[in-house]
Amino acid sequence: MKYKDEIEEVYRFFTEVGIINQLISTKLETLLPDRMTATQFGILGHLVRRPDGETPLQLSKAFQIPKTSMTHMLAGLETKALITLEPNPSDKRSKIARSTSRGEQFLNESMQRMSKALQPVLDDLGHEPFANSLTHLTRIRETLDKERD
Amino acid sequence: MKYKDEIEEVYRFFTEVGIINQLISTKLETLLPDRMTATQFGILGHLVRRPDGETPLQLSKAFQIPKTSMTHMLAGLETKALITLEPNPSDKRSKIARSTSRGEQFLNESMQRMSKALQPVLDDLGHEPFANSLTHLTRIRETLDKERD
DNA sequence: CTCCATTAGTACGATATCGCACTATATAAT
DNA sequence: ATTATATAGTGCGATATCGTACTAATGGAG
């Protein structure tokens, strides 16, 4: 395969990723109350799966979001009482974000609605395209992450 | 495979897509002048490949972006003289957005820089993960798009 | 032709995003 | 211990995003 074609291919890959991201965020956000963001929802899910919580900086690294944006998002989640923000005992500069039980419940309910909304897509495609691409996506994400300055 | 696991899998798929999108947008945006957005860049690329141009509405559908956001983005691209916005001869309500030669040149230069920046990733992974997932991504995108209300 | 429902684009306002600069704490160097 | 450097989080200001409501133009029904 020609070098130029490879670049084209990678470019199309990123375009598809961008559009899928757009489609799914929009769909998700119509199912979420207020003006809750898909990213906020992702953060909540991340925290629910980690009962010990994480620091804002860890979260901003995990989601590749500027820490100044993370401050804002976490504040929003705290206002909705979906997470708590406590001082980090092992570092006075830092904090620990944890999901509340209300947060977990909210996540589960939303996931439920999202699954329902995606059912037609799953019926149509089956899970194979997701499973098959997931391996590659993970590899790509890891490499992009590692290679980042 | 259990139903619940399938949901988990789809959820992880979307999470990976979100993070890759974030990583690549951020990387691209550091290579772009001013505060030009990755999406703006995508739109420019779209227009460069379509010499007849497209209407704002076509663009907002193609990228799944609200048309009100599209107005804003196109205005920005026009200010930078990377595109033109002309009245649509076949519909007085409408407009046609076209890339300028300056726009095309700018795109090519930026693509060049982006390719260079991504070279380590390609060296590391090869193009296979991109090629292999691209087919699936396209199918998924098409289905999501079709199933959208 | 007239009426009316639909469509393309935008103005506006609310909120989100994020770069820069700053404070407080932590860590390393001497 | 003292000083210098790095790190965690935030305030602020500039800009981006997008929902609502609007105007102008279109196209279909009678």
Side-chain angles (χ1 to χ4, degrees):
Chain A
M1 192 177 201
K2 288 236 186 72
Y3 170 75
K4 189 153 182 297
D5 291 337
E6 280 191 16
I7 297 293
E8 265 304 310
E9 191 176 66
V10 171
Y11 179 79
R12 277 194 298 133
F13 172 87
F14 291 131
T15 305
E16 291 291 8
V17 164
I19 294 174
I20 291 175
N21 186 57
Q22 195 68 31
L23 278 161
I24 208 65
S25 304
T26 307
K27 182 152 228 157
L28 177 55
E29 280 162 15
T30 63
L31 300 180
L32 295 176
D34 300 326
R35 281 278 214 89
M36 191 172 176
T37 298
T39 313
Q40 279 184 316
F41 187 77
I43 291 163
L44 182 58
H46 191 85
L47 289 178
V48 165
R49 272 172 281 113
R50 286 166 184 77
D52 290 344
E54 293 219 328
T55 69
L57 194 62
Q58 286 177 313
L59 290 168
S60 78
K61 279 178 181 157
F63 286 89
Q64 290 306 310
I65 287 165
K67 56 182 184 167
T68 201
S69 310
M70 190 52 66
T71 299
H72 185 77
M73 288 178 186
L74 292 178
L77 289 170
E78 194 190 22
T79 302
K80 294 180 177 61
L82 302 176
I83 65 163
T84 57
L85 273 173
E86 293 162 34
N88 184 340
S90 67
D91 186 338
K92 285 181 188 165
R93 293 168 304 179
S94 179
K95 296 186 174 177
I96 303 277
R98 254 183 272 268
S99 164
T100 62
S101 55
R102 200 172 174 300
E104 183 169 356
Q105 189 190 337
F106 172 82
L107 182 85
N108 289 334
E109 288 166 5
S110 304
M111 288 276 277
Q112 203 81 26
R113 261 174 293 158
M114 192 61 183
S115 309
K116 201 168 175 180
L118 287 175
Q119 198 55 57
V121 175
L122 264 173
D123 288 346
D124 193 339
L125 290 174
H127 77 105
E128 287 83 6
F130 297 97
N132 290 336
S133 47
L134 192 49
T135 326
H136 303 304
L137 290 180
T138 304
R139 286 230 302 149
I140 291 168
R141 191 255 304 154
E142 282 169 356
T143 307
L144 281 172
D145 199 14
K146 194 172 53 190
E147 222 79 46
R148 180 172 42 102
D149 309 338
Chain B
M1 191 175 200
K2 289 237 185 73
Y3 170 74
K4 191 155 181 292
D5 292 337
E6 281 191 16
I7 297 293
E8 265 304 310
E9 190 176 68
V10 171
Y11 179 80
R12 278 194 299 133
F13 172 86
F14 290 131
T15 306
E16 291 290 8
V17 164
I19 294 175
I20 290 175
N21 185 57
Q22 194 68 32
L23 277 161
I24 208 66
S25 303
T26 306
K27 181 152 228 158
L28 177 55
E29 281 163 15
T30 63
L31 300 180
L32 295 176
D34 300 326
R35 282 277 213 91
M36 190 172 178
T37 298
T39 313
Q40 279 183 317
F41 187 77
I43 291 163
L44 181 59
H46 191 85
L47 290 177
V48 166
R49 270 173 283 115
R50 286 166 184 76
D52 290 345
E54 294 219 327
T55 69
L57 194 62
Q58 286 176 313
L59 290 169
S60 79
K61 279 179 181 157
F63 286 89
Q64 290 307 309
I65 287 166
K67 56 182 184 166
T68 200
S69 310
M70 190 54 64
T71 299
H72 185 77
M73 288 179 187
L74 292 178
L77 289 170
E78 194 189 23
T79 302
K80 294 181 177 59
L82 301 177
I83 66 163
T84 58
L85 273 174
E86 293 162 35
N88 185 339
S90 67
D91 187 338
K92 284 180 189 166
R93 293 168 304 178
S94 179
K95 295 186 173 177
I96 302 276
R98 253 183 273 269
S99 164
T100 62
S101 55
R102 200 171 174 301
E104 183 168 357
Q105 189 190 338
F106 172 82
L107 182 85
N108 289 332
E109 288 166 5
S110 305
M111 289 277 276
Q112 203 82 25
R113 260 174 293 157
M114 193 61 182
S115 309
K116 202 168 175 180
L118 287 175
Q119 198 54 58
V121 175
L122 264 173
D123 288 347
D124 192 338
L125 289 174
H127 78 103
E128 287 83 5
F130 297 97
N132 290 338
S133 47
L134 193 48
T135 326
H136 303 303
L137 290 179
T138 304
R139 284 229 304 149
I140 291 168
R141 191 255 306 154
E142 282 168 356
T143 307
L144 281 172
D145 199 15
K146 195 172 52 192
E147 221 80 44
R148 182 172 41 102
D149 309 338

